[in-house]
Every structure is written in C-alpha cells, then in structure tokens.
Amino acid sequence: MADETPHAAPEGPQPNGADTAPQIGMIAQYVKDLSFESPNAPGIYQQQVQPQIDVQFHISVAPVADDVHEVSMKIEVRAQGDAGSTIFAVELVYAGLFGARNVEPEALSPFLYAEAPRLLFPFARRIVADVTRDGNFMPLLLDPIDFGAMYLQQAQAATQLAENEPAGQA
C-alpha cells in the first residue's frame, strides 16, 4: 500500500546547496552620511541656556541585490536656544546590509522595519553621543526606541487608510 500523506520538506542541508530553511543575517553596518553643525559658535558657549532638543527618525529599506536589503536609519537632531537660535544640529544616516534567503515577504517586512533598526540603533546612538561631545556639548544620549511598536502602528495606520479608501475608483 502506498503512503498517501504529503511529504514534508527534508530537514538539514539539501544536495547541491538547495537549502530551503529561512536565513537572515547582517552583512555590514556603516555610516552613510554624518553632519554636525554649530553655526553660532563661539558665542553659543558663553550662554547658559537649556536647549530645546528635537529628534526625528526615519527608517527606509531598499533592495540592493537578490536577497540583500539596505536598511537606513536617518536621525536628525536640532538643539535650539533662545529666540530659536541653533545651538547644534546633527544629521546621521546609519545603514546596514541584511541578507535574507527563503523568507516569506510577510515575515521579511517586520524584520527589515523593526528588528533591523533595533540592531542598528545602539551604534547610531553612540555616534550621536560622540559627535555632540566632540562639539563641546554634553553627550546627547537618545532614549531607547521600540521599533516593533512603531512598525505595528504604521502597519495599522496603513490598513485603516486602505479600508477607508473608496472602492472601484479608476
């Protein structure tokens, strides 16, 4: 009697390098762009003012090659003093290359927009702290960010937007 149950994929390496197990890994990480400005120096060092700090983040993902994606984290920091004068400004684009093989698109997107930035963030945070300290200011230590929660919020907003669009528009 023949076995009529579907055959499961064999575990372990397949012949001729035909592995089918999902694999994700970081290939490299690097500073793509870095700028520090203190346009009102040296006068700014004579003021005793508590700066207002504004921090903006943006995550972008771009395919680089088959199964390789670049995840870029752009961090913009602006410290302003009295009358809106700029004390310092930092712009950093910190990126990483991530390889992903045999990963379903539904699983790849959360990794690239949530987990990959989480892996890159500590290094970007250190760079921002170092560059502000090297500019003769207190090191700016960015607060930890929950990239997973950010991803879920953006995914929910996109779903709601898609549901609210009128159907059948051409």
Side-chain angles (χ1 to χ4, degrees):
M1 222 190 229
D3 184 12
E4 294 184 21
T5 59
H7 296 287
E11 294 188 22
Q14 302 299 308
N16 299 324
D19 287 338
T20 57
Q23 298 175 348
I24 295 180
M26 184 185 301
I27 299 168
Q29 56 183 323
Y30 47 93
V31 173
K32 193 166 183 174
D33 186 27
L34 176 61
S35 170
F36 175 85
E37 299 175 23
S38 183
N40 295 309
I44 200 70
Y45 297 114
Q46 298 171 6
Q47 297 178 9
Q48 299 294 323
V49 63
Q50 183 69 27
Q52 296 295 318
I53 307 285
D54 179 44
V55 180
Q56 300 293 319
F57 281 89
H58 179 72
I59 306 297
S60 62
V61 175
V64 176
D66 288 341
D67 299 331
V68 178
H69 300 276
E70 180 185 58
V71 176
S72 297
M73 176 184 303
K74 183 174 187 178
I75 303 171
E76 296 176 288
V77 178
R78 184 163 303 279
Q80 295 185 329
D82 294 336
S85 64
T86 299
I87 296 174
F88 66 82
V90 178
E91 289 185 21
L92 169 65
V93 178
Y94 194 76
L97 289 179
F98 293 88
R101 190 169 36 184
N102 302 322
V103 178
E104 296 296 324
E106 305 83 44
L108 185 59
S109 184
F111 176 83
L112 294 174
Y113 284 97
E115 186 63 18
R118 187 189 69 79
L119 294 171
L120 295 173
F121 181 74
F123 301 96
R125 181 179 192 241
R126 183 194 52 80
I127 292 167
V128 170
D130 287 351
V131 77
T132 54
R133 184 198 64 228
D134 292 346
N136 201 37
F137 298 100
M138 292 293 296
L140 178 61
L141 297 175
L142 299 173
D143 289 335
I145 297 171
D146 186 349
F147 291 102
M150 282 177 52
Y151 174 77
L152 290 175
Q153 286 176 343
Q154 291 173 349
Q156 288 173 346
T159 301
Q160 288 176 350
L161 183 62
E163 289 173 354
N164 292 336
E165 282 187 9
Q169 289 187 348

